[in-house]
């Protein structure tokens, strides 16, 4: 075997081995081949046969090409007789792909229309993208126990087996919402409302990723959908409908509340938080952030992640416990929220110390003129370690 | 190596670059003027490259059978236009920037045309040949520019006519003009043997007619309702009350093409106001909108009375200690008509003492609450 052929064989073997090993990944929460909801399954039912057909055709074409390259390679032989036109073959090679594509097209269109169906929606969630996190607000839906709107971010909670309609939009640039296990992707476009339907067969946590390049921290714009049993969902709703309670006087958390009122409430809303004069503290992200919004932190510790679902609020051990839980137990574990023992203090403190160092949001804070001085994400607030201690203590109370 | 034509343009390029450097160093370092000069340098460099590439149009300058500098020079209007341009620049400096700009354009255009014409007339003793090499160089620029200017004049003139006549007449004129263009175009296409002069005459007369109509319409002024609307600042101020406003409501459109990206639809029927949110089947008296984001609501009037939808969007401080309500509204529309209303609420509901609402002024006890989490 010549050196050249050996090299080619080694290269192809290496690629094949890489592809094979990649398919063995155990922890692949964004695997499009493992649908966990009816819409994702509808897509899967189309993509599997299409992939098989395309694969077979691809292999045949590749084999023919390789055969021709080897069989008719230049050995210094005379130029063969040149011919032009072979009507039967040409017509056949036109009709056959056309028929295959028409067949694929029929099933694709059927799938597209099936996925677009929204008439039997059972629940609605407004999903709003901005650089670089997702906000979810739930309109009042009394039959689901949502007596007034709920707002959260990073993790969207849905009841299992419920057809949920996402009304997607964006406050700044185009984003794209994608939870591979539950459905395909849909762009969130400023000024438009696009709909996407999802539902989950079983309780669990389903990971996703913004799939439209949206700026510096596009890669850090993650999202998770948490499907809970109907009972667990009702418990989650009941908790979300409550306002935050002020910590007891003369505690570190109470001092943290003061720091929060001084520093954080400019952008972050905590429902129920009152200023020293007793009036509600209203956040004004519209005056400080380019997108005009920042995550509502009223129930921060009821979710497992922060900063666009890119970092865990749970320590590694506790996170593994929740994510690895069975569908029967995941709801209870999720609803337990973030206990003091489970809080990932390391990342939370790093974030409070210098957020842009963890998640690039603006290249140079001295050059905010194009955005009228407004930030595209959380700035470095220059907090002291003392302030950070107090803030962590306060944030821990936001269950 | 260098042809006479390329030497001229290379010289101009070098001159423009040198002037731009001096300009930045001595006059203004804001780069605006330098960029303009460098653009001129780029243009002359391009012309230098072109003349170098085609060896001054393949003309053997100085050859015995094509003596350069033959005396048969043609008359030229360019010096006159250049003078007009120069005067325009001077007058524009004193009067109005647009005069300055037009003068500058005239001067630059005349300069380029004059240079190329002079150069081409020195190419050979054959005037027709000289004209052809001039055309080869300049016509790729002249034709698109003239077409653009001609189209601009026609469009501007037509728009003046549309602003001057009544709305109903405008629609008829638009349809009529379109039909005539289609008819004449079809005729030209079906009769390819028509005399070129006839086709050109029809086009030129039509264009002149449109331009003349435009001038007449512009001198006559806009139609009365637009003048009044401008005078009352109608375009920046909405009257959101119960009364019909002569100007704000005067040009109300009753149909909209918007069908997607609608957050909610609000209907007035039998004196009752009901809303339908996107994706929620049943009627509701509350809608939920995301904060700091444009929301679009469609208002459909199915009542016999004319009505408008008014959104109460909280308050804003206009000066220290003085706040006023923020309102937005559709125009007053009649039965069977619809309009879209787009607005943004930056603060959550809890920030407003009074709930954000959608109401129909004059209709008591009916409102849709807007909830902003």
């Amino acid at each position: 075997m010549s050196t050249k052929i050996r090299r080619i064989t080694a290269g192809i073997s290496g690629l094949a081995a890489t592809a094979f090993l990649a398919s063995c990944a155990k922890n692949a929460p964004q695997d499009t081949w493992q649908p966990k909801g009816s819409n994702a399954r509808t897509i899967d039912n189309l993509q599997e046969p299409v992939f098989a057909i395309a694969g077979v055709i691809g292999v045949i074409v590749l084999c023919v090409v390789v055969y021709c390259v080897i069989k008719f390679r230049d050995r210094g032989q005379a130029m063969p007789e040149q011919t032009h036109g072979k009507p039967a073959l040409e017509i056949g090679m036109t009709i056959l792909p056309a028929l295959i594509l028409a067949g694929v097209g029929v099933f694709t269109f059927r799938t597209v229309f099936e996925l677009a169906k929204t008439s039997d929606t059972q629940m609605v969630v407004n999903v709003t993208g901005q650089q670089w996190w997702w906000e979810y607000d739930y309109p009042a839906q009394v039959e689901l126990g949502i007596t007034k709107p709920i707002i959260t971010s990073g993790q969207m909670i849905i009841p299992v087996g419920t057809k949920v309609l996402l009304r997607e939009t964006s406050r700044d640039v185009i984003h794209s919402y994608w939870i591979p296990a539950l459905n395909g992707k849909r762009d969130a476009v400023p000024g438009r409302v696009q709909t996407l339907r999802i539902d989950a067969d079983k309780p669990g946590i389903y990971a996703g990723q913004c799939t439209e390049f949206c700026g510096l921290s596009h890669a850090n714009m993650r999202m998770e959908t948490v499907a809970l049993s109907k009972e667990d969902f009702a418990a989650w709703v009941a908790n979300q409908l409550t306002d935050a309670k002020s910590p007891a006087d003369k505690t570190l958390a109470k001092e943290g509340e003061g720091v929060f009122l001084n520093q954080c409430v400019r952008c972050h809303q905590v429902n129920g938080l009152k200023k020293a004069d007793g009036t509600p503290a209203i956040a004004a992200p519209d005056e400080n952030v380019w997108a005009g919004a920042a995550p509502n932190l009223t129930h921060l510790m009821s979710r497992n992640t922060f900063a666009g679902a890119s970092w865990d609020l749970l320590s590694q051990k506790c996170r593994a416990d929740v994510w690895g839980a069975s569908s029967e137990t995941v709801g209870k574990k999720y609803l337990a929220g973030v206990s003091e023992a489970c809080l990932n203090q390391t990342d939370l403190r790093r974030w409070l110390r210098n957020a842009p160092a963890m998640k690039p949001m603006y290249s140079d804070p001295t050059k905010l003129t194009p955005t009228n001085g407004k930030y595209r994400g959380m700035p470095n607030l220059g907090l002291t370690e003392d302030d950070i201690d107090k803030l962590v203590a306060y944030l821990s109370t936001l269950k | 190596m260098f042809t006479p034509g390329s030497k001229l343009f290379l010289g101009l390029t070098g001159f423009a670059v040198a002037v731009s450097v001096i300009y930045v160093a001595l006059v203004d370092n804001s780069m605006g003027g330098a960029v303009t000069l460098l653009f001129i340098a780029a243009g002359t460099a391009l012309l230098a490259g072109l003349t170098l590439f085609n060896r001054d149009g393949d003309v053997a300058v100085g050859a015995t059978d094509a003596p350069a500098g033959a005396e048969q020079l043609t008359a030229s209007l360019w010096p006159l236009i250049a003078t007009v341009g120069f005067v325009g620049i001077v007058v524009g400096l004193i009067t109005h920037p647009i005069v300055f700009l037009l003068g500058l354009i005239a001067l630059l255009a005349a300069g380029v045309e004059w240079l190329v014409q002079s150069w081409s007339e020195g190419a050979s003793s054959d005037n027709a040949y000289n004209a052809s090499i001039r055309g080869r160089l300049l016509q790729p620029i002249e034709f698109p520019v003239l077409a653009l200017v001609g189209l601009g004049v026609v469009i501007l003139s037509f728009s003046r006519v549309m602003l001057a006549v009544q709305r109903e007449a405008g629609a008829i004129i638009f349809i009529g003009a379109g039909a005539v263009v289609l008819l004449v175009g079809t005729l030209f296409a079906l009769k390819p043997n028509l005399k070129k002069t006839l086709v050109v005459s029809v086009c030129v007369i039509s264009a002149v007619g449109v331009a003349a109509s435009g001038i007449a319409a512009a001198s006559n002024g806009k139609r009365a309702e637009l003048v009044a609307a401008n005078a009352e600042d109608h375009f920046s101020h909405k009257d959101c009350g119960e009364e019909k406003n002569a100007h704000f409501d005067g040009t109300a459109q009753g149909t909209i093409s918007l069908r997607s990206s609608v957050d909610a639809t609000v209907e007035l029927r039998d004196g009752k106001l009901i809303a339908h949110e996107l994706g929620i089947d049943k009627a509701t008296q509350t809608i939920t909108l995301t904060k700091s984001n444009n929301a679009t609501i469609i208002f459909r009037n199915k009542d016999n009375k004319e009505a408008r939808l008014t959104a109460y969007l909280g308050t804003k401080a206009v000066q220290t200690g003085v706040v006023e309500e923020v309102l937005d509204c559709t125009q007053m529309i009649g039965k069977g008509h619809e309009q879209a209303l787009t607005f943004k609420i930056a603060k959550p509901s809890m920030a407003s003492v009074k709930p954000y609402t959608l109401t129909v002024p004059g209709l008591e006890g009916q409102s849709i609450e807007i909830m902003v989490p």
Side-chain angles (χ1 to χ4, degrees):
Chain A
M1 194 185 281
S2 71
T3 315
K4 196 174 173 184
I5 292 176
R6 267 204 301 273
R7 279 184 188 162
I8 292 170
T9 311
I12 292 172
S13 306
L15 282 173
T18 307
F20 178 74
L21 287 172
S23 69
C24 296
K26 271 188 177 174
N27 184 17
Q30 291 176 212
D31 187 347
T32 53
W33 297 92
Q34 293 184 38
K36 299 285 199 278
S38 65
N39 289 290
R41 207 161 25 255
T42 302
I43 295 173
D44 195 55
N45 290 342
L46 176 71
Q47 76 175 354
E48 285 199 16
V50 169
F51 184 78
I53 293 167
V56 168
I57 293 171
V59 168
I60 291 171
V61 170
L62 193 67
C63 290
V64 172
V65 169
V66 170
Y67 172 77
C68 290
V69 166
I70 294 171
K71 171 85 176 171
F72 304 110
R73 69 185 183 277
D74 182 12
R75 300 192 196 89
Q77 69 271 46
M79 180 71 76
E81 187 191 345
Q82 301 294 297
T83 59
H84 178 72
K86 192 100 176 178
L89 187 65
E90 287 172 12
I91 292 169
M93 293 300 280
T94 305
I95 289 176
L96 185 65
L99 285 176
I100 294 170
L101 287 175
V104 170
V106 166
F107 291 104
T108 303
F109 274 107
R110 203 178 71 176
T111 303
V112 167
F113 284 113
E114 207 170 319
L115 291 172
K117 188 180 170 192
T118 59
S119 55
D120 53 352
T121 292
Q122 295 166 298
M123 179 178 153
V124 171
V125 181
N126 292 328
V127 177
T128 311
Q130 50 264 290
Q131 292 171 318
W132 290 270
W133 57 284
W134 293 93
E135 181 182 274
Y136 308 103
D137 62 72
Y138 298 65
Q141 294 159 88
V142 179
E143 61 281 7
L144 292 162
I146 307 172
T147 51
K148 65 178 184 179
I150 289 173
I151 185 165
T152 185
S153 62
Q155 291 182 319
M156 177 171 62
I157 317 300
I158 60 170
V160 79
T162 302
K163 294 181 170 72
V164 181
L165 183 75
L166 310 186
R167 303 192 296 208
E168 292 181 25
T169 188
S170 164
R171 290 192 174 105
D172 41 35
V173 299
I174 300 177
H175 303 277
S176 189
Y177 194 85
W178 190 33
I179 304 284
L182 303 183
N183 201 343
K185 52 185 88 162
R186 182 63 45 92
D187 280 3
V189 183
R192 293 191 63 82
V193 182
Q194 315 244 61
T195 54
L196 178 73
R197 266 272 295 274
I198 61 167
D199 65 276
D201 301 332
K202 288 181 177 176
I205 305 177
Y206 305 101
Q209 168 71 47
C210 175
T211 53
E212 180 72 39
F213 180 73
C214 55
L216 272 180
S217 265
H218 163 66
N220 291 320
M221 189 170 172
R222 302 177 59 78
M223 60 277 214
E224 284 152 13
T225 291
V226 183
L228 299 177
S229 67
K230 300 252 165 56
E231 299 74 33
D232 288 342
F233 180 75
W236 178 81
V237 167
N239 181 49
Q240 298 293 314
L241 289 173
T242 60
D243 284 347
K245 289 184 181 67
S246 185
D249 285 343
K250 295 178 183 172
T251 59
L252 193 63
K254 186 68 182 175
E255 289 182 52
E257 187 185 72
V259 178
F260 192 92
L261 278 166
N262 281 336
Q263 295 280 0
C264 314
V265 86
R266 271 180 282 174
C267 296
H268 294 287
Q269 183 69 45
V270 168
N271 300 351
L273 180 65
K274 289 189 168 59
K275 293 190 277 192
D277 62 4
T279 56
I282 305 294
D286 52 305
E287 293 162 21
N288 298 293
V289 186
W290 178 245
N296 184 305
L297 301 181
T298 309
H299 300 284
L300 174 67
M301 294 297 158
S302 74
R303 30 202 206 242
N304 292 175
T305 59
F306 70 102
S310 288
W311 282 273
D312 290 305
L313 276 170
L314 289 171
S315 63
Q316 210 167 359
K317 184 172 166 289
C318 295
R319 181 190 188 277
D321 187 40
V322 177
W323 278 71
S326 67
S327 58
E328 289 78 25
T329 58
V330 68
K332 294 285 174 283
K333 291 190 175 183
Y334 182 79
L335 287 177
V338 182
S339 66
E340 204 172 323
C342 277
L343 178 62
N344 174 10
Q345 292 218 11
T346 313
D347 283 341
L348 185 59
R349 284 172 181 277
R350 274 176 62 214
W351 179 259
L352 294 172
R353 203 168 288 130
N354 187 2
M358 285 174 75
K359 186 175 182 178
M361 292 181 271
Y362 39 89
S363 52
D364 184 352
T366 61
K367 293 178 180 169
L368 292 175
T369 317
T371 56
N372 298 325
K374 293 177 180 175
Y375 291 88
R376 286 193 182 272
M378 184 157 145
N380 180 352
L381 295 169
L383 298 171
T384 63
E385 289 303 312
D386 193 34
D387 285 342
I388 291 171
D389 289 344
K390 292 171 184 172
L391 266 180
V392 170
Y394 173 65
L395 294 174
S396 302
T397 68
L398 302 175
K399 303 284 188 185
Chain B
M1 180 188 172
F2 293 106
T3 60
S6 65
K7 283 178 189 169
L8 171 70
F9 289 118
L10 281 172
L12 282 172
T13 307
F15 181 68
V17 171
V19 170
S20 68
V21 171
I22 294 166
Y23 181 86
V24 172
L26 301 179
V27 183
D28 180 9
N29 62 2
S30 67
M31 299 302 289
V35 167
T36 309
L37 286 163
L38 287 173
F39 264 106
I40 293 171
T44 50
L46 178 68
L47 290 172
L50 285 171
T51 50
L52 200 59
F53 178 72
N54 66 16
R55 311 302 300 168
D56 286 358
D58 285 328
V59 177
V61 179
T64 50
D65 54 346
E71 293 301 318
Q72 299 174 20
L73 297 178
T74 52
S76 177
L77 274 175
W78 298 118
L80 180 65
I81 296 173
T83 311
V84 171
F86 181 75
V87 171
I89 287 175
V90 176
V91 173
L93 283 171
I94 304 163
T95 56
H96 199 278
I98 194 76
V99 180
F100 175 85
L101 191 67
L102 289 173
L104 187 66
I105 290 169
L107 186 64
L108 286 175
V112 172
E113 291 277 2
W114 195 6
L115 272 173
V116 175
Q117 188 180 353
S118 305
W119 163 76
S120 69
E121 284 173 350
S124 78
S125 58
D126 183 352
N127 277 346
Y129 180 77
N130 294 348
S132 78
I133 61 169
R134 179 211 160 275
R136 206 190 310 165
L137 201 62
L138 283 180
Q139 281 171 358
I141 301 167
E142 287 172 345
F143 286 166
V145 170
L146 287 175
L148 208 64
V149 171
L151 273 176
V153 168
V154 169
I155 291 167
L156 189 70
S157 305
F158 195 70
S159 70
R160 296 305 97 183
V161 174
M162 299 300 278
L163 287 172
V165 299
Q166 293 305 310
R167 281 177 64 204
E168 295 74 18
I172 293 166
I173 292 171
F174 201 91
I175 293 166
V180 169
V181 169
L182 186 67
L183 193 71
V184 174
T186 309
L187 203 67
F188 287 169
L190 292 175
K191 301 271 183 191
N193 295 329
L194 274 178
K195 278 185 181 175
K196 197 178 168 186
T197 48
L198 177 68
V199 175
V200 172
S201 304
V202 169
C203 292
V204 170
I205 291 168
S206 306
V208 170
V210 173
S213 309
I215 292 166
S219 59
N220 200 35
K222 293 176 186 172
R223 59 175 173 270
E225 70 190 50
L226 292 177
V227 175
N230 259 337
E232 297 185 7
D233 203 11
H234 145 99
F235 297 109
S236 64
H237 175 72
K238 292 179 175 179
D239 287 316
C240 293
E242 192 180 346
E243 296 302 315
K244 189 170 181 176
N245 182 283
H247 302 303
F248 174 54
D249 297 318
T251 54
Q253 299 292 317
T255 52
I256 49 171
S257 55
L258 180 73
R259 287 293 176 267
S260 63
S261 297
V262 176
D263 293 83
T265 305
V266 175
E267 269 186 19
L268 174 63
R269 187 194 287 264
D270 302 327
K272 294 201 183 326
L273 210 52
I274 50 165
H276 284 95
E277 270 194 272
L278 175 66
I280 297 179
D281 237 4
K282 60 183 184 184
T284 177
Q285 294 302 118
T286 61
I287 58 172
T288 304
L289 301 177
T290 54
K291 70 173 177 293
S292 288
N293 210 4
N294 282 327
T296 300
I297 311 287
I298 286 184
F299 172 53
R300 293 203 175 102
N301 183 6
K302 298 197 170 169
D303 221 351
N304 289 324
K305 272 173 58 180
E306 284 194 322
R308 78 168 88 249
L309 188 71
T310 295
Y312 168 74
L313 307 172
T315 56
K316 68 171 178 187
V318 285
Q319 51 182 288
T320 314
V322 182
V323 292
E324 69 178 29
E325 290 190 339
V326 180
L327 299 174
D328 201 349
C329 58
T330 66
Q331 291 167 295
M332 192 79 90
I333 54 172
K335 186 177 184 182
H337 287 180
E338 58 185 1
Q339 279 209 348
L341 182 61
T342 299
F343 54 82
K344 185 192 277 190
I345 302 176
K347 297 279 194 288
S349 294
M350 70 179 81
S352 180
V353 179
K354 195 171 133 187
Y356 303 130
T357 52
L358 294 168
T359 55
V360 169
L363 185 67
E364 295 301 322
Q366 294 292 315
S367 76
I368 306 293
E369 184 177 356
I370 304 169
M371 300 181 96
V372 182

